[in-house]
C-alpha cells in the first residue's frame, strides 16, 4: 500500500497488487492467471471504477445494492465489458435488484436466500456458497458441519450454479492465524470439487493465494482507506 486515494495512484496500486499476486502465485506454485483480481469499489464513486477499468480491471466487487445500482448506471457504456461480483450479505427484499446488476453472487449464506435467488433469476446465476470457517458470531455463512446439506439443497435449485466456496477470514493481528482458515476452505472444497475459491482481501490475499484462492477481493490496497 504505497499510495493512498489520489486518482493517479490507482494505476500504481493495481500494478503493485498484481506484482504481489504474482509473487504469491510463485510461492504457492500457481499460475499467475489462475487468480482473478476483483477490485472492491464499495464507497468509491463510479469515476474511480472507470479509472480502475482503464488500468485493466474487469471485475468489480460491491456489497450494497443501493450503492452499486446507481453507480452502475453511471458506467453503462462499459457495463457489458466488466463483471460485477456481489460480495455482501444480501437481504431477501434486495434479491431482485441484486440480480439485475450482478454477474456473480459470492455470498449465499442461507438456503432461504438461495431459494429467493432461484425464484427471481431469469437465467442461471453463478454463485458462491459462503462458509463461516472460523464460526464467528459476527459473520454470515454456513458452518462447516452445515455445508454438506447446503451444497446438496442449493445445488438442486435449477437457476443457481454453484461455482465455488467463499470465506472472509477473521480480523486478527497475526496473519499466520488466518492461514488455517483458508486451508480449511480449500480442504472442504475437495469433497465438492468446485472450480473457484473466493478468499483473500487487502490484509491477507497473499496467504489466501498460497492456500489456493482463485478470486481475491481487494479494496483498500487499490483505492486507499475507505472514509
Ligand atoms: C470490503 C470487502 C472486501 C475488500 O476489503 P479490503 O480490506 O478493502 O480489501 C472484500 N470482501 C468483502 C466481503 C468485503 O466486504
Amino acid at each position: 500500500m504505497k499510495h493512498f486515494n489520489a486518482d493517479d495512484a490507482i494505476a500504481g496500486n493495481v500494478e503493485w497488487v498484481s506484482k504481489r499476486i504474482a509473487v504469491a502465485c510463485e510461492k504457492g506454485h500457481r499460475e499467475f492467471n489462475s487468480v482473478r483480481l476483483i477490485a472492491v469499489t464499495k464507497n468509491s464513486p463510479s469515476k474511480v471504477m472507470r479509472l480502475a477499468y482503464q488500468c485493466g480491471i474487469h471485475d468489480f466487487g460491491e456489497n450494497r445494492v443501493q450503492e452499486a445500482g446507481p453507480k452502475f448506471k453511471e458506467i453503462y457504456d462499459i457495463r457489458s465489458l466488466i463483471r460485477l461480483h456481489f460480495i455482501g450479505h444480501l437481504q431477501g427484499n434486495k434479491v431482485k435488484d441484486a440480480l439485475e446488476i450482478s454477474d456473480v453472487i459470492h455470498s449465499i449464506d442461507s438456503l432461504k436466500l438461495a431459494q429467493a435467488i432461484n425464484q427471481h433469476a431469469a437465467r442461471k446465476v453463478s454463485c458462491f456458497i459462503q462458509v463461516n470457517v472460523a464460526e464467528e458470531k459476527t459473520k454470515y455463512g454456513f458452518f462447516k458441519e452445515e455445508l454438506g446439506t447446503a451444497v446438496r439443497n442449493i445445488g438442486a435449485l435449477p437457476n443457481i450454479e454453484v461455482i465455488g466456496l467463499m470465506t472472509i477470514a477473521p480480523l486478527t493481528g497475526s496473519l499466520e492465524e488466518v492461514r488455517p482458515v483458508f486451508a480449511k476452505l480449500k480442504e472442504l472444497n475437495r469433497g465438492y470439487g468446485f472450480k473457484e475459491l473466493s478468499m483473500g482481501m487487502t490484509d491477507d490475499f497473499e496467504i489466501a493465494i498460497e492456500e489456493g484462492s482463485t478470486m481475491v477481493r481487494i479494496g483498500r490496497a487499490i483505492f486507499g482507506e475507505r472514509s
Side-chain angles (χ1 to χ4, degrees), residues 40 42 63 87 166 168 201-202 217-220 226:
V40 177
K42 64 188 187 197
N63 70 339
I87 60 174
M166 176 273 215
I168 303 171
M201 307 168 34
T202 289
R217 313 176 304 266
I218 298 180
R220 289 169 300 135
R226 285 179 288 275

Side-chain angles (χ1 to χ4, degrees), residues 11 14 16 44 50 54 86 114 122 181 204 218:
V14 167
W16 175 231
S44 295
R50 204 177 279 283
Q54 285 157 1
F86 192 85
V181 172
D204 54 25
I218 298 180

Side-chain angles (χ1 to χ4, degrees), residues 154-204:
I154 297 167
L157 300 171
N159 286 334
I160 290 189
E161 180 177 15
V162 180
I163 60 169
L165 303 180
M166 176 273 215
T167 199
I168 303 171
L171 261 179
T172 81
S174 153
L175 272 185
E176 286 307 320
E177 276 175 46
V178 304
R179 187 183 294 278
V181 172
F182 296 141
K184 186 73 197 177
L185 194 72
K186 172 145 187 164
E187 185 199 315
L188 288 168
N189 187 48
R190 265 191 212 116
Y192 309 114
F194 296 126
K195 244 182 76 197
E196 310 285 351
L197 289 176
S198 170
M199 57 187 197
M201 307 168 34
T202 289
D203 290 329
D204 54 25

